[in-house]
Amino acid sequence: MVRLCVLLAMAFWLNGPLQANDLYLGAATADISPELPVALMGQFHMRIAETADTPLYAGIVAIESRDGQAGLDTAVFVSCDLVYISARLRQELRDEVAKRIPGFNVNKIIVSATHTHTAPVLEDDLEESSFIYPIPEQGVTKVKDYRALFVRNVADGIVEAWENRSKGSVTWGMERTAVGYNRRTVYKDGTSVMYGNTNKDEFQNLEGYEDHDMNALFFWNDADELLAMSVDVACPAQEFEHKTTVNADYWHPVREKLKARFGNEVSVLGWIGAAGDQSPHSMYRKAGLARMEKLSQKTRMDDIAERIIRAVENTYEIVKNDRHSNVAFFHETENLELPMRIITEEEYIESEKVVKDCQDQIAADPSKKPLLYAKMTWFGDVLKRYKAQQKNPEATYASEIHVLRIGDAAIATNQFELFTDYGIRIQARSKAIQTFVIQLAGPGTYLPTEKAIAGGGYSAVCQSNVVGAEGGQLLVDRTIEIIDSFWEEKEEVRLKKKL
């Protein structure tokens, strides 16, 4: 009995009151469209966009839990039409919000990306990124200027959402909706290739599973008006990944049609689940799918958007009357120190040869620089890591995670292009009724599984990731520990009642 009382006291001290608390909610949408022309990120070759097919947006939801008038905990979600979130961009945003909202814990701001490959470059400094383009000095929006635009507009949106928050309610739901395909092809010799040809005798299988659940949260204000929704799909937004125009990819038609259905003021947050090995591109039966597109007069983009919209609408109709205004709300953030992937001597030598080859080609023909420079810096980062590893073979990689409980739902973020198997491990082991996984909430590299590393290929080779499978499992285990701690309080209370 004494031990139980101690545990209850510790739970109160660590996580606040055991009872549910009122939620105060606010939402906003920020325009993060760049000035044109602008350099795009997402391919090895440099692309300069002269035009924009769609705007780029950041959807924002601000959450505060209260006991009476006393604020207890907070979270601000910012979902962006970007390829990833650089560490500098995130810090500049937090610094700006700190100026605008004195005393606000800016470490509770969660910034994530949809992974569209037709959004602006965020870094042009080798100290900040391993993937650098030779962007012209003149005639193209400077990277620092785009970051300044982003920070200014998103900070405006966060302030708007925070200052307009009111007592509200929330609910959660899910529906099966197939969007992503596992994009890693496995052959008889055990090798894996991203987007490898499946129509050949050596083809064995696709390497991993696919997560076909759409998870959604819906937020209302005190006037019973729908403020915002988050839509979590385990597939990156890269149907249009090779275009040379600014484009929000499938989130644009999804957002536009959901706003038409639920109201133009509703903020739509696009979240990407664990999808490092996923893609919207079909991997087989392509001729049959092409025939269906032709007969239906619909594109693959139309199909993706309709699937997501239908799932959101169906989910909304099922859960809309199960709203919760007084819920358990916890938000933990932590910097995990994950073991860095070891670079072998063979990998170092291979990377050194590629860097030298790129340098020689560029020296012989400077016009090749836009095609080869990013590849050269990508392999060059391996050389730097190998040298650092010689000095400190036990080096770790700091990785920020956020884990939240909202009622019966849990939310877990990571900064990586996290292979789907890890996301399924988190969801399967979670004590929550429904668990959301959000990837690319930070400066992401791929985080492959042990199976993927053995198969090799882009996304699983050392150039593609700084953390290996050991770190991936540590990420899963620590995430689950935090989720479980949010539910252990309830179990302690239940045990107390029995005693």
Side-chain angles (χ1 to χ4, degrees):
M1 186 67 184
V2 173
R3 178 177 177 275
L4 176 59
C5 292
V6 170
L7 287 171
L8 288 169
M10 288 178 64
F12 183 95
W13 178 70
L14 290 169
N15 294 313
L18 292 172
Q19 73 271 16
N21 299 293
D22 293 330
L23 288 183
Y24 282 71
L25 307 170
T29 301
D31 191 332
I32 57 171
S33 304
E35 295 291 329
L36 299 171
V38 68
L40 302 178
M41 188 165 187
Q43 300 295 338
F44 275 107
H45 62 283
M46 186 176 67
R47 296 167 296 159
I48 304 296
E50 302 282 348
T51 60
D53 299 328
T54 76
L56 303 181
Y57 288 114
I60 302 164
V61 169
I63 306 172
E64 181 188 30
S65 62
R66 291 187 189 178
D67 182 12
Q69 292 302 309
L72 298 174
D73 209 342
T74 59
V76 175
F77 289 99
V78 184
S79 169
C80 310
D81 291 329
L82 295 174
V83 71
Y84 80 124
I85 306 298
S86 73
R88 176 157 52 183
L89 183 72
R90 181 175 62 192
Q91 192 57 52
E92 288 176 348
L93 175 61
R94 288 174 174 173
D95 290 345
E96 181 64 22
V97 173
K99 298 175 187 175
R100 309 267 197 103
I101 311 176
F104 184 80
N105 184 355
V106 295
N107 291 323
K108 295 297 181 85
I109 298 173
I110 304 166
V111 193
S112 63
T114 62
H115 205 47
T116 175
H117 283 42
T118 45
V121 173
L122 300 177
E123 293 296 344
D124 55 0
D125 183 347
L126 279 170
E127 295 300 317
E128 298 290 335
S129 174
S130 63
F131 210 82
I132 300 298
Y133 299 94
I135 301 172
E137 289 291 330
Q138 304 295 327
V140 178
T141 297
K142 292 187 180 301
V143 173
K144 65 180 180 63
D145 292 339
Y146 178 71
R147 284 201 309 268
L149 177 151
F150 174 93
V151 167
R152 180 174 62 252
N153 291 357
V154 174
D156 286 345
I158 291 174
V159 170
E160 177 187 341
W162 184 252
E163 291 184 345
N164 292 327
R165 69 196 186 285
S166 63
K167 190 173 181 180
S169 57
V170 63
T171 194
W172 42 89
M174 63 197 300
E175 179 161 309
R176 298 284 283 175
T177 180
V179 175
Y181 293 85
N182 187 287
R183 57 181 170 177
R184 288 179 51 85
T185 303
V186 179
Y187 296 111
K188 287 180 180 178
D189 63 0
T191 60
S192 298
V193 178
M194 181 185 284
Y195 297 128
N197 183 9
T198 57
N199 186 22
K200 56 193 303 186
D201 293 343
E202 294 80 12
F203 171 66
Q204 290 291 285
N205 56 273
L206 297 177
E207 184 179 79
Y209 189 59
E210 298 159 356
D211 183 353
H212 295 311
D213 287 340
M214 184 287 303
N215 292 278
L217 285 165
F218 301 95
F219 302 90
W220 289 266
N221 63 16
D222 55 354
D224 284 337
E225 298 168 331
L226 187 64
L227 280 177
M229 63 178 71
S230 68
V231 181
D232 193 353
V233 180
C235 181
Q238 56 186 99
E239 175 63 15
F240 283 163
E241 63 179 299
H242 296 292
K243 296 192 74 170
T244 55
T245 53
V246 172
N247 196 300
D249 213 271
Y250 69 71
W251 285 110
H252 177 71
V254 167
R255 188 162 43 222
E256 291 299 297
K257 291 180 181 179
L258 288 176
K259 283 177 173 285
R261 164 67 172 81
F262 293 100
N264 194 54
E265 297 305 312
V266 174
S267 183
V268 179
L269 283 73
W271 290 346
I272 306 299
D277 51 350
Q278 306 294 303
S279 164
H281 308 316
S282 61
M283 292 295 295
Y284 56 99
R285 61 177 181 243
K286 295 180 182 180
L289 291 171
R291 172 178 175 269
M292 294 304 293
E293 288 178 9
K294 183 177 180 180
L295 291 174
S296 65
Q297 297 184 327
K298 293 179 181 178
T299 65
R300 170 63 176 154
M301 183 68 80
D302 295 331
D303 179 54
I304 293 170
E306 287 181 5
R307 286 167 183 263
I308 296 172
I309 293 160
R310 183 166 58 246
V312 172
E313 290 178 335
N314 289 347
T315 302
Y316 177 83
E317 291 301 322
I318 292 169
V319 304
K320 65 182 180 181
N321 295 322
D322 184 37
R323 305 182 196 177
H324 305 268
S325 58
N326 194 256
V327 299
F329 179 79
F330 304 124
H331 179 186
E332 294 290 334
T333 180
E334 186 173 310
N335 278 311
L336 297 184
E337 294 293 337
L338 300 175
M340 294 188 70
R341 178 169 173 172
I342 297 297
I343 307 296
T344 66
E345 184 176 1
E346 291 76 16
E347 290 168 337
Y348 173 79
I349 293 171
E350 176 199 1
S351 297
E352 191 174 42
K353 288 179 179 178
V354 173
V355 170
K356 180 66 166 54
D357 180 63
C358 289
Q359 290 172 336
D360 290 345
Q361 289 192 60
I362 292 171
D365 184 358
S367 68
K368 291 184 177 180
K369 188 173 182 179
L371 298 175
L372 296 174
Y373 193 79
K375 179 180 179 181
M376 183 177 68
T377 60
W378 190 61
F379 278 90
D381 186 63
V382 173
L383 306 185
K384 292 190 295 183
R385 286 165 51 194
Y386 181 81
K387 292 173 183 177
Q389 175 183 299
Q390 304 312 301
K391 298 177 182 179
N392 182 12
E394 303 298 325
T396 58
Y397 183 78
S399 179
E400 179 180 294
I401 64 169
H402 295 260
V403 186
L404 300 90
R405 175 180 176 177
I406 305 179
D408 290 331
I411 303 172
T413 78
N414 67 86
Q415 70 179 60
F416 302 101
E417 289 187 68
L418 189 70
F419 274 40
T420 298
D421 280 1
Y422 292 119
I424 292 172
R425 291 175 200 176
I426 291 171
Q427 294 178 74
R429 293 171 55 190
S430 171
K431 288 187 175 182
I433 286 178
Q434 185 173 348
T435 301
F436 296 72
V437 177
I438 307 172
Q439 71 168 20
L440 287 173
T445 63
Y446 288 99
L447 208 172
T449 60
E450 186 175 1
K451 175 172 55 178
I453 292 171
Y458 181 80
S459 75
V461 291
C462 67
Q463 294 85 2
S464 298
N465 39 80
V466 295
V467 175
E470 179 186 0
Q473 190 57 47
L474 289 172
L475 170 66
V476 170
D477 291 341
R478 182 56 187 147
T479 298
I480 290 299
E481 286 178 3
I482 299 174
I483 291 175
D484 286 353
S485 73
F486 296 156
W487 267 262
E488 285 167 2
E489 296 175 24
K490 183 181 289 187
E491 292 173 2
E492 294 289 355
V493 172
R494 188 183 301 115
L495 180 57
K496 182 179 179 182
K497 288 179 179 178
K498 288 181 179 180
L499 293 175

